[in-house]
């Protein structure tokens, strides 16, 4: 939709704070690649491999995709949350963090929306974009692991991730020294 694309372009041009761009926003960026240069510093992009390929080009394998993600995060001064079996969070400085939480039961419609909401909420609380991405990805996966233990991977859905977030928070807080 042209109006949606125009709204995203205006948001990118006018924003003084990092943005979080997912789903259709990523598809709009892929169709307008020159806009990437104008993203506010520390903007968070959350592509799955297909969205990543549309944004930054096809990759022969996971290693090449990760190399492109590192280069792209540095070039555009953004944080890339490359979703997958072991989600990679790439900082603008080239640091790569692999998430160890989560399971295949999370590969269902709406799970990415839960992640986007969680990271956005953390940024809104004043947490830095990188720390929000790291914390959000881990919490999201941990809630998925708790949901799978209770409901099974086959039966869980995106709404269950939200329902198990309080238990994930409690678990993290109990692990603190």
């Amino acid at each position: 939709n042209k109006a949606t694309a125009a709204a995203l372009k205006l948001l990118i041009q006018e924003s003084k704070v990092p943005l979080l761009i997912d789903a259709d926003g990523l598809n709009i960026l892929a169709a307008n690649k020159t806009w990437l240069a104008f993203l506010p510093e520390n903007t968070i992009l959350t592509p799955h491999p297909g969205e990543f390929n549309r944004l930054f080009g096809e990759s022969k394998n996971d290693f090449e995709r990760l190399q492109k993600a590192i280069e792209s995060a540095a070039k555009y001064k953004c944080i890339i949350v490359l979703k997958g079996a072991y989600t990679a969070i790439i900082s603008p400085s080239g640091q790569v963090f692999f998430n160890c939480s989560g399971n295949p039961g999370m590969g269902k419609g709406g799970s990415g929306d839960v992640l986007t909401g969680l990271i956005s909420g953390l940024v809104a609380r004043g947490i830095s974009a990188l720390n929000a991405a790291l914390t959000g990805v881990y919490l999201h996966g941990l809630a998925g692991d708790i949901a799978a233990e209770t409901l099974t991977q086959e039966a869980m859905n995106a709404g269950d991730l939200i329902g198990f977030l309080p238990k994930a928070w409690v678990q993290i807080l109990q692990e603190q020294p």
Side-chain angles (χ1 to χ4, degrees):
N1 184 310
K2 289 181 181 183
T4 305
L8 180 60
K9 183 179 182 185
L10 183 62
L11 187 62
I12 289 169
Q13 290 172 330
E14 299 294 325
S15 182
K16 305 287 188 252
V17 297
L19 303 172
L20 191 150
I21 303 176
D22 188 36
D24 283 342
L26 296 172
N27 292 326
I28 293 168
L29 277 178
N32 300 279
K33 289 184 173 74
T34 58
W35 299 0
L36 287 164
F38 301 100
L39 292 172
E41 194 167 327
N42 291 313
T43 286
I44 303 167
L45 305 177
T46 59
H48 57 60
E51 291 166 333
F52 183 87
N53 290 346
R54 286 191 291 278
L55 270 170
F56 301 112
E58 294 287 327
S59 302
K60 294 176 190 166
N61 54 49
D62 290 340
F63 180 77
E64 186 177 296
R65 184 178 297 114
L66 184 60
Q67 288 304 118
K68 280 185 183 182
I70 293 167
E71 293 165 9
S72 299
K75 180 177 181 177
Y76 299 112
K77 296 183 176 99
C78 66
I79 296 156
I80 297 176
V81 176
L82 185 53
K83 298 183 283 194
Y86 294 98
T87 294
I89 300 94
I90 301 103
S91 76
S93 67
Q95 292 175 295
V96 179
F97 304 87
F98 291 98
N99 184 52
C100 60
S101 65
N103 61 75
M106 299 171 67
K108 296 179 181 154
S111 293
D113 297 324
V114 174
L115 176 62
T116 297
L118 181 55
I119 295 171
S120 296
L122 292 168
V123 170
R125 293 184 67 189
I127 297 173
S128 75
L130 180 59
N131 285 333
L134 292 167
T135 303
V137 168
Y138 180 74
L139 268 172
H140 182 255
L142 183 58
D145 290 341
I146 296 168
E149 287 175 14
T150 306
L151 306 170
T152 74
Q153 290 181 25
E154 294 76 19
M156 62 188 274
N157 62 44
D160 296 323
L161 298 175
I162 297 167
F164 284 99
L165 274 173
K167 287 185 180 184
W169 274 112
V170 167
Q171 187 171 324
I172 285 177
L173 293 173
Q174 289 174 344
E175 293 172 358
Q176 296 298 313

